[in-house]
Structures are given as C-alpha cells and as structure tokens.
Amino acid sequence: MGKVLLCLYDGGIHAEHEPKMLGTTEIELGIRPWIEERGHTLITTSDKEGPDSAFDRELVDAEVIITTPFHPGYLTADRLAKAKKLKLAVTAGIGSDHVDLDVANQTNGGITVAEVTGSNVVSVAEHVIMTILVLVRNFVPAHEQIQAGDWNVAQVAKNEYDLESKVVGTVAVGRIGKRVLQRLKAFDCKELLYFDYQPLSAAEEKEIGCRRVEKLEDMLAQCDVVTINCPLHEKTKGLFNKELIAKMKPGSWLINTARGAIVVKEDVAEALKSGHLRGYGGDVWFPQPAPNDHPLRYAKNPWGGGNAMVPHMSGTSIDAQARYAAGTKAILDSYFSGRHDYRLEDLIVKDGDYATKAYGERAKK
C-alpha cells in the first residue's frame, strides 16, 4: 500500500475553533480516515524548509505528495531525484509552479502532476475586487488612523478615489481574469481592458463590456488599475520589472494575486516609494512565507499608504477549502482505484508529457 505525504499550513488554535479549516495540518483535508481505511499511510507536516525537514525525510518513499499554493512544498530537481517511489504530485488548490515540471516528466517514468482546477477562481476573483477597492478608497491608512485614536479626514481623503470612471485592465483573462472583469462591470468603469494571447469571443467581450489590447505596454499606459491574473512560467517570471512598471500610468494601482515571482519585489517597492505606483496589493509572495525583511511588507507611497498586502489567503477561504479538499480526494480516488480517470482540466503532467496542449503552450511562452 502507498504512502501519502501531505504538506499543509498549521492551523493551531484557529483550527481548533473552526473545524472547516480543512487546509490545515490538524484537519488534513478531512482525508485521514478515508486514506487509512484503504490501507495507505498518511504523513502530514508543515516542516518543509531545509534538507533535514520532515518533508525531505518523508518524500524519499512517498508514492503521493500533496501540497498547497499557500504553504508549498517545493518539488525541486534535487528533491525529485530523492523521491524514488513518487508517482503522483497533487496541488490542493491551483498552481504547479512549486514543481519542476520538466524534471517531473522524466522522474520514475513520468510523475502525474495534478491540481484542483476551478476550486479557488471565485475566491481569488472576489479578493481582487476587494483589493482594488481597498487601494482606490485608501482604506488601510484610514483604518490605521482610527486604531491609533486619531481623526484626520483630510489626511486620508487626499488619496481616496472612486472606482467609477477608472480604466481597469487584467493581465490574462482566464478563469480568474474573466471573473474579475465580470464583477467590475457593475462599477461603471470608464473602460475594461485585457491583455491575453488568446482573445475572448466577440459575444463574451460584448457581454462583459471589455476590450482586448494586443500589446501589454499599450494596455498598461491606459490603465488606472492593473490586476495580474496570469500563470507563472519562464516568460512571466520577473515580468513586472523596473522597465515595464515605468510604462504604467503614473499614479496607478497594481494588484497581484497570481504569483509573487511575476513581479520584481525591489522594483515594485521603489515604484511605490517614488509615487509612480499609487498602490500595490495582493496576497502572493516570493518566497513564501515572506521573510520579515521582504520589501513589500513595508513599502508605501509618499502619501503614507498604498500597501494592501496580506498572507497568501485569497484562494483558501473556508468555501475554497471545501472545494479543493473534495477535488484532492477525487484525484486520489482515481489514482488508488487504478481507474486514472482524472478530469482533463486537472492534469498538468501525465505519462511523461504535458497533459494538455493549452498548458504546454503556456509553459513554453
């Protein structure tokens, strides 16, 4: 029977008070009884840093490894070389950038890499809308002022705007980016734009009221608000660097709930400090967890605000946890039963190759 290694974040007293915290080490996606009834062994840990971590010790004979985007156990080339029995790597959530996919293709005859596609798209889209409003309405400095016992309306109103009549653009219009645009329609923005190599249909564009811009730089120059909703791969790593940020409209806001490594953190911090960016917000960091000296923990604009960063939480709401726990169990059932009838959209790598043409094209861009 197989060994399943589960890498999650610790819930502590919070998991004790909320049994629906399925994504924690304490509650283990709710799968321990189900795993053990089938004769398999489940090892759960949050200890994943360094060669002596529990994750490193246990992966050597694990058949299945499950991790999350919120507390990822990175499956590097070195780790994959040690995982002699690994056959299946599952993301409880969405995102496979913590797995060296090229190496996984060649390991043990080809490791299947899967995720629970669609499990957090609503949750992340809602978080994007929230972050846009938090930044545009200058909520964080105003709230901090109240907590400090002060009352100075002018101090916070000087950097407070309406979302209505602003131009908002999304980098990528996949499952999340499309939902962001759909939700923004209600705010009567001046224009909704998107940049993506694959356009929406004319009917979808008409329904949402959005327009495609063929060049990213052209879109950035027009936008008051830019939200990043693209996957992390070779061409998007470090995409938002000093040169690209300089092409953004002065005084604009940037939101990133995709992956922390898509931006160059030092360049974002400098753009905030100079005032070229009025604000930056989101929940993704590189690395994760973010070290205490990470510049985006503290960077602000000259007006004393503009930072709406939080821990990686957008895709792990209580509702999302229920979805990605159920999806993970379905993937495991498909594997352990021998059916291997996975949902095609959940597969990233299978039988030594990228599982879908769409993902293969994305990875090579």
Side-chain angles (χ1 to χ4, degrees):
M1 292 298 178
K3 172 179 169 180
V4 179
L5 175 58
L6 183 58
C7 183
L8 301 173
Y9 59 85
D10 294 328
I13 61 172
H14 311 294
E16 293 176 13
H17 291 290
E18 178 47 79
K20 294 179 182 178
M21 294 267 310
L22 297 172
T24 63
T25 54
E26 291 82 2
I27 305 181
E28 304 174 309
L29 302 179
I31 62 173
R32 178 172 288 279
W34 183 85
I35 289 284
E36 293 179 343
E37 285 170 4
R38 283 153 181 78
H40 307 297
T41 300
L42 179 65
I43 303 295
T44 303
T45 185
S46 63
D47 177 22
K48 62 185 181 67
E49 303 299 334
D52 296 324
S53 68
F55 187 75
D56 277 80
R57 294 194 305 270
E58 299 291 348
L59 64 79
V60 295
D61 61 346
E63 184 176 342
V64 177
I65 293 178
I66 306 168
T67 184
T68 74
F70 321 108
H71 189 78
Y74 290 93
L75 286 174
T76 61
D78 287 344
R79 280 175 163 169
L80 287 168
K82 300 174 187 175
K84 301 298 186 182
K85 295 185 177 181
L86 184 60
K87 292 296 183 182
L88 174 66
V90 183
T91 300
I94 298 176
S96 57
D97 51 280
H98 58 279
V99 182
D100 188 323
L101 296 177
D102 290 333
V103 176
N105 279 337
Q106 307 301 321
T107 300
N108 303 338
I111 295 168
T112 296
V113 181
E115 63 184 24
V116 188
T117 297
S119 60
N120 65 6
V121 292
V122 169
S123 308
V124 177
E126 288 186 1
H127 194 98
V128 172
I129 300 300
M130 177 191 71
T131 306
I132 291 173
L133 289 171
V134 162
L135 286 172
V136 171
R137 299 311 303 251
N138 204 30
F139 176 85
V140 174
H143 181 63
E144 289 175 343
Q145 182 189 103
I146 289 299
Q147 288 191 315
D150 298 330
W151 186 284
N152 189 334
V153 174
Q155 184 182 50
V156 290
K158 69 181 179 183
N159 204 28
E160 178 191 16
Y161 293 81
D162 294 339
L163 181 56
E164 183 176 287
S165 300
K166 299 296 184 294
V167 178
V168 184
T170 174
V171 181
V173 70
R175 291 181 176 89
I176 294 172
K178 180 181 175 181
R179 283 168 173 79
V180 169
L181 293 180
Q182 289 172 328
R183 285 155 176 76
L184 285 169
K185 183 178 181 180
F187 289 89
D188 293 326
C189 296
K190 181 179 180 180
E191 200 166 15
L192 298 177
L193 307 177
Y194 73 92
F195 168 78
D196 201 311
Y197 72 94
Q198 184 173 341
L200 296 171
S201 68
E204 288 175 312
E205 287 189 353
K206 182 178 180 181
E207 179 187 356
I208 296 171
C210 62
R211 175 171 65 88
R212 182 183 181 225
V213 182
E214 292 191 3
K215 292 185 178 180
L216 176 58
E217 293 84 352
D218 292 344
M219 188 190 81
L220 299 180
Q222 300 176 59
C223 288
D224 300 294
V225 180
V226 174
T227 169
I228 302 172
N229 297 293
C230 60
L232 175 66
H233 50 71
E234 183 182 347
K235 294 296 184 181
T236 61
K237 185 175 182 180
L239 175 64
F240 276 79
N241 56 18
K242 180 169 59 176
E243 290 74 24
L244 188 64
I245 293 171
K247 299 180 185 301
M248 294 180 66
K249 186 175 180 179
S252 55
W253 295 272
L254 179 62
I255 289 85
N256 182 13
T257 56
R259 284 295 182 267
I262 293 174
V263 307
V264 177
K265 55 184 182 292
E266 296 84 1
D267 294 350
V268 172
E270 182 57 36
L272 274 173
K273 183 179 178 181
S274 71
H276 185 73
L277 282 181
R278 193 176 296 275
Y280 179 77
D283 70 322
V284 288
W285 307 76
F286 185 78
Q288 290 189 167
N292 288 339
D293 62 351
H294 196 294
L296 295 179
R297 283 183 178 266
Y298 313 104
K300 293 185 178 182
N301 63 34
W303 305 282
N307 191 322
M309 291 300 292
V310 296
H312 196 173
M313 60 180 284
S314 65
T316 191
S317 66
I318 295 298
D319 298 301
Q321 288 180 51
R323 291 190 291 268
Y324 67 67
T328 299
K329 184 177 178 181
I331 291 170
L332 293 176
D333 183 55
S334 179
Y335 173 74
F336 282 125
S337 68
R339 300 192 311 271
H340 296 184
D341 55 347
Y342 310 104
R343 297 192 310 167
L344 180 60
E345 60 266 34
D346 288 347
L347 291 172
I348 305 302
V349 171
K350 187 175 187 294
D351 298 330
D353 201 358
Y354 290 108
T356 66
K357 181 181 178 183
Y359 185 84
E361 290 175 350
R362 275 206 309 272
K364 295 171 185 174
K365 282 180 177 282

